[in-house]
Amino acid sequence: MCGIAGLISLNDMPVESDSIRQMVVALKHRGPDAQTIHVDGPVALGHARLSIIDLAAGHQPLFNEDRSIAVVCNGEIYNYRELRSQLVQRGHQFRTGSDCEVLTHLWEERGGGMVDELRGMFAFILFDRRRGIVFGARDRFGQKPLFYARSENRIAFASEIKGLLVLPDVSRELDQQGLDQFLFHQYVPQPRTLFAGIKKLAAGSCFEIQVAPDLLDESLLTAGSPDLAAGDRFRVSSVRDRFAIRSFWRPEIQPDRALSDAEHLDRVDRAVADAVESHLVADVPVGVFLSGGIDSSLITALAARATGEPLQTFSVSFPGSEHDEAPYAKAVAERFRTRHHEIPFQPADMKAVLVSAATLFDQPLADMAVLPLMALSQAASEHVKVVLTGDGGDELFAGYRKYKRMAGIPGRYRWVQRASSELFPIPHLAACRPDRLGLRKLQARLAMAVAPACRSQYQRQSWEGWERHSLYQPELTEKLAGRFEALDEVDQAETSMLDPLNLALRQDQGTCLADRLLLKGDYATMASGLEARAPLLDHLLADVAGRLPLHLKATSQTTKVALREIARRYLPAEIISRRKKGFSMPLDRWFRGELAQWTRQCLIDDSVTLSRYFQRQAVERLLAEHAAGKNHVARIHTLLTFELWSRAYAA
């Protein structure tokens, strides 16, 4: 686990070593163990390392035998041992025990098709100087981030936006459409960021860049370099087209009706156990984030069984709050005899953590769970370097309550859901426009009731379209009025084939998973030099989950049917049957009490965003209504996140 950076020249000027060095320094918190750079004509690669596998010799960049191919990678390749064995049999030689060294040799064998061979979480940049190609990719679900900024003369990549902002030609200009999306979704959907000149590589995507040939040794461009397999190369027709991006994977969601329920459950059991065991590969201690819910408890049970020594588990508690799940986590820890660590989180911690999060998250994220997760990560990093998490269980196995409502709709009425998705398109419902008669609000509530697309993409608890219209300064309203970009939607052919429940799962496994849940986990853990792994997002397990029949995903009474059945084989009944709470905290009460004065000071008295973007009257009314008992916690937290982020990063 680490941070990576890359600079690629698009003209006849070589890259500067000082620039890539500054980028790596900005990513040092992701890789405190070592920072290295590699400059080769038009390409510079940088790496900040957190040592997990081959602690002594695994420094990057890593090379092939003749050093004509170099790679920097952030992440873990869990099947590297199998790949390495196959590559050695085909004559390849390895210099280190690093999992990422297989990337250079796979590129020689498969070209861009190499990504299909990888099992893991990763973002990498590879330079093949013989072919004059830079190739890179981001893992299937987007567990590892990768951002880029393109100018006329070069393209820059980095694991975090901080690594790009040190470059003088990267602007800090706000993307106003990105702000509009952030206030609605509480995160910025890919490929946007809140910076107009910085984009995010989408999950499950790869890219290819043809570098300036004048900067390469002509004798090395083709010598000893086998042709790439057909279809692996991106076709480049001009200098302007040197940078090309394509998607290489999407989850399969198609029920397999040839198997019995018992056979499906056994497949899930084997796949979950295999995913957990594969994610334990490390040369450092591995722990588990244990919330006491089904996902993390099942992972704890399987990890404890697979390891030969006591497992360390970590949970956060909210003393005196109804949100406190610590007793459940403690019960699981006692059941599997783990060395358990409980970290209390109090209102007094909030201000410091909020300010710290604003500096850490160069891509703002108004997810309340970020705050205790940061505290938990810091505490866990004092004991382990790797933790397993339960991320992805809800999105793969239908764990949210909305899935019960979808599953409970009789089949003869499901055509109404599909029709409603077309009658109430998200761009219309979410657009920044007035709603004087309340008709758009009525449409939104109706859509939430009957349309699966809306349940996955429409955020009722955040700033809805007519609310943003009243919030913005008039000049900003004019620029944004009527314009709203929906999340990437499933194509029409697939929409007609998928059941509404599977359609919602498809959407939830897309942008929101990568840009909210996984971004949160990556930034929060890496800030403390901690690697987070999500076994339930193993793509082989995802294929098994996608083939489950609907009744093993959710029913009108139960969510996560298959995973619950598997969990019964390992966990106590009280863990399986208890109501899902999620990783949350009593922030609504804190905004009325302990944090009320500080919140007003940030959003009104000392605000740097109020006069530029928002109307004072609207913000004052919001705080007054919340103090009087109306729940505006999500809206307040979103504004507060943007305010603190602006202080740290805005121009």
Side-chain angles (χ1 to χ4, degrees), residues 64-92:
N64 65 335
E65 294 90 340
D66 64 2
R67 297 178 66 89
S68 63
I69 299 172
V71 69
V72 289
C73 180
N74 169 29
E76 304 291 343
I77 310 301
Y78 300 127
N79 64 333
Y80 80 98
R81 290 172 176 165
E82 299 92 324
L83 293 173
R84 181 185 180 112
S85 177
Q86 297 167 12
L87 290 163
V88 167
Q89 291 178 13
R90 292 199 285 267
H92 293 271

Side-chain angles (χ1 to χ4, degrees), residues 71 73-74 76-84 86-87 99-107 110-124 126 135-141 143 205-206 248-249 537-540 543:
V71 69
C73 180
N74 169 29
E76 304 291 343
I77 310 301
Y78 300 127
N79 64 333
Y80 80 98
R81 290 172 176 165
E82 299 92 324
L83 293 173
R84 181 185 180 112
Q86 297 167 12
L87 290 163
D99 57 309
C100 297
E101 191 177 354
V102 299
L103 299 175
T104 63
H105 303 289
L106 275 176
W107 170 260
R110 293 286 312 276
M114 64 182 289
V115 291
D116 298 329
E117 305 289 330
L118 302 177
R119 182 184 189 183
M121 56 177 186
F122 52 83
F124 68 84
L126 178 150
F135 178 82
R138 188 176 176 208
D139 67 75
R140 295 169 177 84
F141 283 109
Q143 296 181 64
S205 295
C206 56
F248 68 85
W249 185 84
L537 288 176
D538 177 76
H539 78 281
L540 300 180
D543 288 341

Side-chain angles (χ1 to χ4, degrees), residues 259-288:
L259 299 178
S260 67
D261 286 0
E263 289 172 319
H264 273 296
L265 293 175
D266 286 342
R267 287 183 65 191
V268 172
D269 194 346
R270 290 192 299 270
V272 173
D274 179 60
V276 171
E277 185 173 356
S278 71
H279 283 56
L280 290 170
V281 175
D283 294 334
V284 295
V286 179
V288 178

Side-chain angles (χ1 to χ4, degrees), residues 40 86 88 139 143 150 181 206 254 353 382 386 442 459 490 547 558 643:
D40 187 358
Q86 297 167 12
V88 167
D139 67 75
Q143 296 181 64
R150 180 176 183 176
Q181 288 185 311
C206 56
Q254 195 60 252
V353 178
E382 298 175 5
V386 177
L442 179 62
Q459 303 297 318
V490 182
R547 289 181 171 84
T558 309
E643 167 69 30

Side-chain angles (χ1 to χ4, degrees), residues 428-572:
H428 167 71
L429 296 179
C432 174
R433 289 201 301 265
D435 188 26
R436 297 180 181 87
L437 300 178
L439 295 179
R440 290 180 61 218
K441 183 175 182 179
L442 179 62
Q443 286 179 317
R445 300 301 176 262
L446 181 60
M448 290 284 287
V450 299
C454 292
R455 291 182 181 174
S456 294
Q457 298 188 19
Y458 194 87
Q459 303 297 318
R460 179 177 174 180
Q461 298 303 317
S462 60
W463 288 94
E464 297 185 78
W466 52 92
E467 294 171 331
R468 300 197 310 280
H469 187 273
S470 300
L471 172 69
Y472 292 146
Q473 292 283 357
E475 56 270 23
L476 183 57
T477 301
E478 291 179 9
K479 293 179 181 178
L480 296 173
R483 299 172 56 200
F484 191 83
E485 295 181 5
L487 303 181
D488 291 339
E489 297 188 6
V490 182
D491 61 61
Q492 291 299 315
E494 192 172 24
T495 298
S496 63
M497 294 175 58
L498 289 177
D499 179 274
L501 175 57
N502 279 334
L503 177 60
L505 285 168
R506 162 77 79 210
Q507 292 167 333
D508 288 343
Q509 290 169 20
T511 299
C512 183
L513 181 62
D515 294 338
R516 184 170 188 161
L517 181 67
L518 297 178
L519 185 74
K520 170 185 67 180
D522 176 81
Y523 271 59
T525 53
M526 291 305 300
S528 297
L530 185 68
E531 173 177 299
R533 301 177 177 180
L536 297 182
L537 288 176
D538 177 76
H539 78 281
L540 300 180
L541 172 59
D543 288 341
V544 172
R547 289 181 171 84
L548 288 170
L550 293 174
H551 67 274
L552 289 181
K553 293 181 178 180
T555 68
S556 59
Q557 291 80 36
T558 309
T559 59
K560 222 180 279 186
V561 176
L563 206 62
R564 288 181 191 275
E565 289 300 317
I566 301 307
R568 293 182 198 281
R569 304 176 183 182
Y570 303 95
L571 301 175

